Amino acid sequence: MTTAPYDLRIDAGGDAFLTSGPTPCLSWRPPAKGGSFPSTRIEAVIGGGIPQTRTAEGSGTYWPFPALTSGQRVRWRVQAHDSDTASAWSDWHAFEAGLFAEDWTARWITPPAADFTIPAGQRPGHELYATFPLVELPPRARLYATATGVYEAFLNGQRIGNSELTPGTTSYDETLYAQAYDVTALLQPGENCLVFVLTDGWFWGQVGAHRSEGSWGEVLGVRAELHLGPTTKLITDETWQARTSNITRASLMEGQTTDLRLDPSATPSAPVLLDQVLAPAPSWSPAPPTRVVQRLSPRVITERAPGEWVIDFGQNASGWLRLSDLGPAGTLTTIDYGEYVGPDGDLDTTHLDSVRPGEDTCVFIQRDEVISDGTDGVFEPRHTVHGFRYARLRRDGAPLDPASIQMQVVHTDLVPTGAFECSDDDLNKLHEITRWSFLGNAVDVPTDCPTRERLGWTGDYQVFAPTATRLFDVLGFTRKWLQSVRDDQLPDGRIASFSPDHRRLKTNLAQQMAMMAGSAGWADAIVYVPWEMYRAYGSVATLGENWQAMTRFVDWAAETAATKRHHTRRERSADPAPHEQFIWDGSFHWGEWLEPVSKAAGGTRVGAMQTNPSVWFMADKGEVGTAYLHRSAATCAKIAEALGRPEDAARYATLAENTRDAWCTEFLAADGRTATDTQAAYVRALAFGLIPDRLREAAAARLVELIRANDTHLSTGFLSTAFLLPVLVDAGHTDLAYELLLRRTPPSWLYMIDHDATTIWEDWEGIDEQGAHDSLNHYSKGAVAEFLHTHVLGLRQAEDSVAWTQAIIVPVPGGGLTWAKGEHLTPQGLIRVEWQQAAGELTVNVELPPATEATVIFPDGTGMPVTGPAWRGSIRNRTP
């Protein structure tokens, strides 16, 4: 264990080296040994100058020195201290500043005019290239690059870097990120050639379930600078040439076709077009890059017919196949990807088809194709990405070498921070498939599914963010996505339902989806997600970045509540009651999305959304809206306090109180029953603190009645399922919480495990006797993994704690479990918890970093402070 601070980081991604903006956020973990220190000295050597020193509190800070300039190299280290003593210095940490907006001299270059008759998903790739001589090699060379579209860069035939799908997806009208690469080792004396391969990507390619065309623009381009030492550089300008690529079709959603027989260097070239792209100045992402993070070999390969194989990799994930056996020249290999194999053993993707009333079915396709040139080449389709567990390969007249097939797992390179294990292996599997489901949806932004839609739905991440912080370090990843959420905010303050918003609803307010923006539980992500990042990591930066956007949204919601009424309330009385000014019911809400409903014989849902969408659309969802207005206002009040804004804190606290009182007046009866009387309503009201203390027991009892009346099954939907089990335990119904957790008939989590799920499903019955339904990789229901950490294991952050300075260990044994263990890498260091139950005695072991204080609370209410870094305590079981 170290006596110095460790794990120094900056809020930036990087390829072979870390690259930052001008004022990065710094973070570190305090010494793991030697006591707790309240302050930290930061020493930095910037651009080879003399060391500079600043002091900071906690385990992170904004850049405390003057803003960096382009290309500056930084070495920094930290030392923890108090008034009398100091720790050892940390190891040095190094990074470089990127190329900043004012210093870019390169121009945008574009291939010759696009053929607009080619539909999205079918357009070919382009190569943009330049040659340059080098008499001698520079000691240091950096490539700075960005694009509209997706690009790969090659220098002298070698691929540059290991980042994928660059420059990443953003709201391109406001934000465009650049990447930096160390290319020193790829240069050669004499003639050199720099090539960019460019395809539509998210910018102009297909987006969403119906494969609509991205509306960010119709002009692809590259902007790049190759810095060859301190004074020489190659920039994109009129000297560059364009030519066709051997990628003859590229769609991030539908797949890629590559004809390796085509030699781009042998095709005619033409001068590039200049300055056709309208794009914001490049900036630098706070997120880790997207990479190939794992490689999986096939688990089972089945030859269904001559020249046709179905491959099971044993894990649903995002990525693509890598093939090193492509057959003789001219051999066409077709690869289809999917999540499900039907009873006949063939790949089946029909459950991912999309249908709109009155329109043809949009058939789901994920297909790559490669034509061999007869050499020992490798096919790896880096201009697309797929969600899949299975792949079907077809080729005529050529065998297939199983050893040549590999699944490349591709997602944002997130650092794991949490682990869980217990005596029930099915719960361990549930935890694991939740991890995989989130990773499969963490391809640069948090998406709903990596297949059918692949959109950054705000509601999904609002639900899952607390769980995400338990599993991975998601701070930079989340801050990047929140930038898009802010970029997409509508002029009146509403938040789009997904970001990046390829429909650009803020400029297309007449679209139906624009009218559906601002929904409770979705738009509230702009408030709740930054708050969770602050709670988990102490990131004041995240609060500050989003303060204006969150208050614009909450103020809009409050104004809407005060000025608009649902038609049923207008019909009830012409004049609103006084409390109705705080009832948020006069705008669109998705509501308690995806509550379990009965199904017809063919597996079709028979709920209102499916059978009568207009009735569903117009239904009163004021209970949900008002509950979320209360929570977001209360959260804004706490955020204002954290930002040192006392007047705003008081204003939002008052709004939260008034909204809670209005909710009680409108939706709560004197006996504790809610107006809608659903499981979701009670769960939400109890979790959000809406129900007065005197009625909480009655409300919880009614929730239990509803669960028992439903044959002890949940009927909660998208917004409330994550709170169900914690609410039951905290209300004293632990046995019922475990019954639901361990249920094996649908709707239940373990039904997925029993049906060989390797990721979380969108539908509780994602696979049944009728086949597959909806997405089989939809992480929101996996928020139950937080319950495994906070209640089964019992590791929680104290209510008023930030960045895990205080923890509470509250094990909740049940369900026949005899032990549980887990850990969480917090900003203060690693916390480990383990408990065992045997012979009527519960024993708890805790390991803490010095900067965290903790208390263990046993099931009977007995509390014991954790003393020392390694603590052990036990108690005989007693009834609480």
Side-chain angles (χ1 to χ4, degrees):
M1 296 202 336
T2 178
T3 58
Y6 65 103
D7 198 15
L8 278 63
R9 295 174 181 267
I10 62 169
D11 65 332
D15 196 80
F17 64 96
L18 288 175
T19 312
S20 82
T23 55
C25 286
L26 311 178
S27 65
W28 56 89
R29 302 191 200 278
K33 186 178 181 181
S36 178
F37 299 91
S39 299
T40 304
R41 285 191 192 91
I42 305 169
E43 183 179 75
V45 179
I46 303 169
I50 63 172
Q52 303 180 50
T53 303
R54 298 287 190 275
T55 300
E57 306 297 320
S59 56
T61 184
Y62 277 113
W63 181 245
F65 306 99
L68 297 170
T69 59
S70 293
Q72 280 188 313
R73 286 182 282 181
V74 177
R75 297 171 64 239
W76 66 288
R77 61 179 182 170
V78 295
Q79 179 189 56
H81 71 93
D82 58 25
S83 56
D84 300 318
T85 60
S87 74
W89 282 97
S90 71
D91 292 337
W92 288 98
H93 182 261
F95 64 92
E96 289 186 16
L99 183 64
F100 302 145
E102 62 275 10
D103 296 320
W104 282 79
T105 58
R107 300 171 71 176
W108 279 100
I109 60 171
T110 296
D115 184 348
F116 289 92
T117 65
I118 303 175
Q122 299 299 317
R123 300 184 188 113
H126 309 272
E127 287 196 359
L128 309 176
Y129 70 97
T131 58
F132 59 98
L134 281 178
V135 176
E136 59 181 64
L137 298 180
R140 174 172 171 260
R142 297 288 185 260
L143 173 66
Y144 304 101
T146 190
T148 54
V150 163
Y151 78 86
E152 287 183 280
F154 297 83
L155 183 55
N156 298 324
Q158 300 296 307
R159 188 172 187 267
I160 298 173
N162 59 20
S163 298
E164 304 291 353
L165 304 174
T166 49
T169 178
T170 59
S171 299
Y172 295 101
D173 58 338
E174 301 285 347
T175 301
L176 180 67
Y177 293 122
Q179 288 74 43
Y181 308 91
D182 181 353
V183 296
T184 311
L186 300 181
L187 295 169
Q188 61 190 24
E191 195 76 359
N192 290 261
C193 184
L194 177 60
V195 178
F196 285 91
V197 178
L198 182 65
T199 58
D200 288 357
W202 291 279
F203 184 78
W204 195 22
Q206 295 172 308
V207 186
H210 295 275
R211 301 296 191 265
S212 59
E213 189 171 277
S215 62
W216 300 109
E218 298 175 343
V219 180
L220 302 183
V222 169
R223 192 180 186 193
E225 301 197 6
L226 176 59
H227 289 213
L228 302 162
T231 59
T232 304
K233 61 184 177 182
L234 172 75
I235 64 172
T236 48
D237 59 16
E238 69 279 0
T239 64
W240 285 62
Q241 297 284 303
R243 62 196 181 198
T244 58
S245 165
N246 61 14
I247 298 175
T248 60
R249 173 189 65 97
S251 164
L252 279 178
M253 299 207 72
E254 289 196 352
Q256 174 178 328
T257 298
T258 301
D259 188 343
L260 294 175
R261 299 170 302 177
L262 303 178
D263 179 5
S265 66
T267 60
S269 61
V272 296
L273 304 179
L274 289 176
D275 304 328
Q276 303 294 301
V277 172
L278 294 177
S283 55
W284 298 88
S285 172
T290 297
R291 289 193 174 107
V292 175
V293 295
Q294 193 171 346
R295 295 166 175 84
L296 301 178
S297 297
R299 178 179 291 182
V300 178
I301 300 178
T302 303
E303 187 169 6
R304 297 189 67 252
E308 179 177 307
W309 301 264
V310 172
I311 306 164
D312 178 5
F313 290 92
Q315 179 60 58
N316 202 7
S318 63
W320 51 67
L321 254 61
R322 182 182 188 274
L323 293 180
S324 57
D325 170 21
L326 302 178
T331 300
L332 170 65
T333 301
T334 301
I335 311 164
D336 289 292
Y337 300 81
E339 304 175 310
Y340 176 68
V341 165
D344 62 354
D346 194 13
L347 186 74
D348 185 350
T349 61
T350 55
H351 62 288
L352 295 169
D353 294 346
S354 296
V355 181
R356 281 179 177 150
E359 296 184 11
D360 294 337
T361 298
C362 180
V363 177
F364 179 81
I365 296 171
Q366 290 185 142
R367 177 174 295 160
D368 294 334
E369 298 170 306
V370 58
I371 302 176
S372 173
D373 63 355
T375 68
D376 294 332
V378 171
F379 175 61
E380 193 167 341
R382 288 190 165 100
H383 290 256
T384 188
V385 66
H386 307 299
F388 70 105
R389 170 178 172 172
Y390 304 95
R392 180 179 58 214
L393 269 69
R394 290 173 172 155
R395 64 168 54 153
D396 292 329
L400 179 68
D401 178 6
S404 72
I405 307 167
Q406 196 173 64
M407 179 188 196
Q408 306 286 78
V409 179
V410 178
H411 53 72
T412 299
D413 194 3
L414 299 173
V415 176
T417 57
F420 169 85
E421 192 177 357
C422 71
S423 57
D424 188 320
D425 192 49
D426 285 334
L427 295 184
N428 299 335
K429 291 178 183 176
L430 177 60
H431 189 270
E432 185 64 9
I433 72 171
T434 297
R435 290 181 76 260
W436 273 103
S437 198
F438 177 62
L439 290 174
N441 281 289
V443 181
D444 204 48
V445 294
T447 56
D448 59 332
C449 59
T451 49
R452 186 189 62 223
E453 295 184 46
R454 205 185 295 168
L455 297 174
W457 284 92
T458 49
D460 297 59
Y461 202 50
Q462 184 270 135
V463 168
F464 196 80
T467 309
T469 65
R470 285 300 187 114
L471 302 177
F472 301 96
D473 181 350
V474 294
L475 178 56
F477 171 77
T478 303
R479 287 180 62 204
K480 175 191 178 294
W481 177 69
L482 285 169
Q483 177 69 58
S484 289
V485 177
R486 298 195 303 274
D487 288 346
D488 296 334
Q489 189 166 25
L490 276 64
D492 60 7
R494 285 178 295 159
I495 298 295
S497 293
F498 48 77
S499 283
D501 173 21
H502 67 281
R503 299 185 184 211
R504 301 184 68 186
L505 297 179
K506 65 187 178 187
T507 61
N508 294 281
L509 298 177
Q511 286 194 26
Q512 183 182 25
M513 281 299 294
M515 293 183 280
M516 299 167 75
S519 169
W522 275 255
D524 299 87
I526 193 60
V527 179
Y528 191 60
V529 173
W531 176 248
E532 284 299 313
M533 297 305 108
Y534 173 68
R535 286 263 297 151
Y537 305 109
S539 178
V540 178
T542 308
L543 299 183
E545 289 164 349
N546 293 282
W547 172 254
Q548 183 179 12
M550 69 176 71
T551 55
R552 285 181 61 211
F553 161 67
V554 173
D555 291 348
W556 169 83
E559 176 68 15
T560 302
T563 58
K564 295 183 179 180
R565 302 171 73 201
H566 191 263
H567 68 87
T568 56
R569 288 183 180 80
R570 294 197 305 270
E571 294 162 2
R572 184 176 70 187
S573 65
D575 297 320
H579 74 276
E580 287 188 51
Q581 65 181 302
F582 300 106
I583 300 297
W584 185 18
D585 65 342
S587 59
F588 172 81
H589 298 301
W590 293 99
E592 188 60 34
W593 183 248
L594 292 183
E595 286 175 294
V597 296
S598 59
K599 293 185 177 181
T604 304
R605 293 175 179 273
V606 294
M609 174 60 178
Q610 293 73 33
T611 58
N612 198 334
S614 62
V615 171
W616 169 83
F617 191 93
M618 296 298 293
D620 176 16
K621 304 184 185 77
E623 179 271 316
V624 177
T626 308
Y628 271 93
L629 178 56
H630 162 74
R631 187 177 76 155
S632 284
T635 305
C636 276
K638 291 185 283 190
I639 292 171
E641 290 179 359
L643 293 175
R645 307 175 70 99
E647 293 182 2
D648 288 322
R651 179 165 67 92
Y652 286 111
T654 299
L655 174 60
E657 183 179 354
N658 290 337
T659 306
R660 182 194 62 214
D661 292 345
W663 187 94
C664 290
T665 300
E666 185 72 19
F667 302 109
L668 187 66
D671 61 357
R673 289 203 177 194
T674 68
T676 54
D677 197 36
T678 64
Q679 289 186 27
Y682 291 104
V683 169
R684 182 167 31 255
L686 290 164
F688 289 7
L690 289 164
I691 296 179
D693 289 345
R694 69 181 187 281
L695 295 177
R696 288 183 67 85
E697 184 176 348
R702 178 57 181 161
L703 171 61
V704 171
E705 287 179 9
L706 291 173
I707 294 170
R708 293 299 186 193
N710 197 37
D711 193 28
T712 312
H713 284 88
L714 59 82
S715 65
T716 49
F718 190 87
L719 293 177
S720 60
T721 296
F723 301 111
L724 173 61
L725 302 186
V727 160
L728 287 171
V729 170
D730 295 346
H733 301 284
T734 297
D735 289 346
L736 179 55
Y738 271 100
E739 283 186 66
L740 293 175
L741 178 62
L742 298 173
R743 266 291 192 188
R744 311 202 83 94
T745 50
S748 69
W749 289 279
L750 296 192
Y751 177 84
M752 301 183 202
I753 300 298
D754 289 342
H755 286 72
D756 197 29
T758 62
T759 48
I760 298 292
W761 298 340
E762 179 179 14
D763 190 329
W764 290 107
E765 297 176 75
I767 296 176
D768 60 16
E769 61 276 5
Q770 265 88 39
H773 307 278
D774 298 329
S775 164
L776 300 182
N777 191 352
H778 226 89
Y779 62 78
S780 62
K781 291 182 175 70
V784 70
E786 186 188 18
F787 176 81
L788 301 180
H789 285 261
T790 58
H791 288 71
V792 177
L793 180 63
L795 176 56
R796 311 182 199 180
Q797 187 172 192
E799 183 67 26
D800 296 327
S801 171
V802 174
W804 288 90
T805 55
Q806 294 177 300
I808 302 175
I809 292 91
V810 194
V812 184
L817 299 183
T818 57
W819 60 267
K821 62 182 180 180
E823 60 186 39
H824 184 47
L825 183 58
T826 77
Q828 313 309 324
L830 187 66
I831 301 176
R832 287 193 177 99
V833 175
E834 181 176 1
W835 62 259
Q836 298 180 11
Q837 190 167 239
E841 187 172 41
L842 178 66
T843 301
V844 180
N845 298 317
V846 180
E847 294 181 24
L848 286 179
T852 298
E853 298 177 352
T855 300
V856 174
I857 300 176
F858 287 92
D860 68 349
T862 301
M864 298 183 183
V866 175
T867 55
W871 181 93
R872 178 184 178 90
S874 62
I875 195 168
R876 298 291 296 178
N877 286 349
R878 298 195 297 268
T879 302

